Amino acid sequence: MSFSGVNGTGQRRPTMKEVAARAGVALKTVSRVVNEEPNVSPELTAKVQAAIKDLNYTPNESARMLRRGKTGTIAVVIRDIGDPFFASLGRAVELWARSSGSVVMIGLTDEDPEREKDVCLEFVARRPDALIMAPIGETQEYLAPHVDAGMAVVTIDRPAHGIEADAVLADNAGGIDQAIDHLVRQGHRRIAYLGDDERIFTARERVVAYRAAMARHRIDVDEDLVHLSEPTTEGIGITLSAVLDRSEPATALLSANNMTTAEVLRGLAGRRDRVALVSFDDLALGDLLSPGLTAVAQSADVMARTAIQLMTERLPEPHRPGRTVRVPVKLTIRGSGEIPPA
């Protein structure tokens, strides 16, 4: 660990005062050169830069940032680093920060609203320039004083409530439309929908889109084929029995998120049913399955880049109205969604 005034080799760091003495200029002149301020002659700038090189002087970046009203820190609060989507999101933000000279703090909420609040407040106490978060709680009003003070907030996957923030959301309705249209083209009409709790924003948008898409194709929704619950191995096993072990079983399954899809695949592995499957969210090894997984893919990289763009636009205008950007999704056809009705 390096302490103030000591570099990583145990040697004392040179000070700005020593740079001024070596260059034969005033301390204020060194400060202006280091902070890239105007009104310093080329001759004096050259002297200071030569002294900096001779002494191997490194400016205190934290102090520079604070003087400019910035900390060079971005806070990222996501639900689960084990989820491939959020792992990709965290990596994309980290790569941007690395290229821009910023530092990233990443915290996990584990789908717990109280944990979300605790992590966010712990991070904002460190005065980050911006917070990128995947909200869990019903409101993020606890961040209002910090937003009012100029901190930029961008949410991803779900919108914020109670604060002015930008949001990057997947085109949930468009993705469900693509999935249903594709299954109907394969001849399916008994399409089971397996999704998450409707209280979750994305789950609610997707099941509403499912009902609308079925109505558009003039297919009556059999409510016994609609199951909304937490994706556990036991729960999905019961759901598969409910939709497949009946006199008129589902001929196709639409799984509304990657966690549900993983449990559906586990459940189907022990069965002999020949049933079509389309997933909203791709899986990392979906192309290696047999048949390959047909999936509506949302790009974490594109969503992260969009969030970063909104963040950089909001930093100089922290009090502008919030913007919502919908990121397109794409149906990837690999085989599981092309199984015809029995």
Side-chain angles (χ1 to χ4, degrees):
M1 176 177 287
S2 296
F3 294 89
S4 178
V6 180
N7 63 25
T9 64
Q11 298 175 326
R12 188 180 62 81
R13 290 174 178 167
T15 65
M16 193 179 290
K17 186 175 181 180
E18 289 169 331
V19 172
R22 173 67 66 93
V25 299
L27 183 62
K28 184 64 175 178
T29 301
V30 176
S31 177
R32 285 176 175 167
V33 172
V34 167
N35 290 295
E36 300 176 359
E37 297 177 10
N39 303 323
V40 181
S41 71
E43 179 184 0
L44 290 181
T45 298
K47 286 183 177 181
V48 172
Q49 289 174 341
I52 287 173
K53 184 177 180 181
D54 289 345
L55 294 173
N56 196 25
Y57 170 75
T58 302
N60 185 330
E61 194 63 28
S62 296
R64 292 177 65 194
M65 288 287 189
L66 286 171
R67 280 195 295 273
R68 296 175 180 180
K70 302 294 180 184
T71 62
T73 303
I74 308 299
V76 177
V77 177
I78 55 180
R79 297 194 282 278
D80 180 6
I81 199 68
D83 185 319
F85 175 81
F86 289 112
S88 296
L89 168 66
R91 176 169 174 75
V93 176
E94 167 63 25
L95 289 175
W96 172 84
R98 200 181 303 173
S99 67
S100 66
S102 299
V103 175
V104 176
M105 303 183 292
I106 296 182
L108 308 180
T109 63
D110 296 323
E111 296 282 356
D112 182 345
E114 285 302 313
R115 175 67 180 159
E116 171 199 294
K117 181 178 179 180
D118 290 344
V119 171
C120 286
L121 290 178
E122 183 178 330
F123 277 177
V124 299
R126 290 166 168 74
R127 298 179 59 191
D129 298 327
L131 169 64
I132 297 176
M133 67 180 300
I136 295 295
E138 293 183 0
T139 180
Q140 286 69 48
E141 192 173 6
Y142 57 86
L143 290 173
H146 307 280
V147 172
D148 291 344
M151 183 182 70
V153 176
V154 180
T155 68
I156 199 158
D157 194 45
R158 304 173 189 176
H161 298 283
I163 58 171
E164 196 71 52
D166 296 320
V168 182
L169 311 177
D171 182 8
N172 292 306
I176 294 296
D177 282 349
Q178 290 181 56
I180 294 295
D181 290 351
H182 183 69
L183 288 171
V184 171
R185 283 195 298 269
Q186 311 309 308
H188 295 282
R189 295 183 68 81
R190 294 190 59 76
I191 303 170
Y193 181 89
L194 313 182
D196 216 332
D197 191 317
E198 238 180 322
R199 289 174 297 180
I200 299 172
F201 173 82
T202 48
R204 185 167 60 253
E205 281 206 331
R206 292 173 192 178
V207 72
V208 168
Y210 161 78
R211 296 182 188 280
M214 294 287 277
R216 181 163 48 81
H217 286 286
R218 299 181 180 178
I219 302 174
D220 292 335
V221 173
D222 182 343
E223 294 300 332
D224 290 336
L225 298 182
V226 179
H227 290 262
L228 306 174
S229 61
E230 184 181 355
T232 63
T233 300
E234 181 181 4
I236 294 299
I238 294 171
T239 295
L240 289 176
S241 294
V243 300
L244 297 176
D245 298 337
R246 51 188 295 153
S247 58
E248 291 186 282
T251 61
L253 308 176
L254 174 51
S255 174
N257 59 74
N258 56 6
M259 304 299 284
T260 297
T261 299
E263 295 300 339
V264 167
L265 289 169
R266 181 176 286 111
L268 289 176
R271 301 179 61 98
R272 292 183 174 273
D273 308 277
R274 183 169 171 78
V275 60
L277 171 63
V278 175
S279 171
F280 196 117
D281 283 343
D282 205 351
L283 298 183
L285 301 179
D287 59 328
L288 300 182
L289 299 171
S290 182
L293 180 65
T294 295
V296 176
Q298 52 179 333
S299 172
D301 286 344
V302 172
M303 294 183 79
R305 289 199 300 271
T306 304
I308 291 165
Q309 179 181 343
L310 289 174
M311 177 193 74
T312 56
E313 291 174 358
R314 176 166 284 275
L315 283 170
E317 299 180 85
H319 302 297
R320 67 169 172 76
R323 290 177 53 197
T324 297
V325 177
R326 290 278 182 176
V327 175
V329 295
K330 179 182 179 182
L331 181 69
T332 302
I333 297 172
R334 298 196 184 107
S336 70
E338 293 67 67
I339 297 173

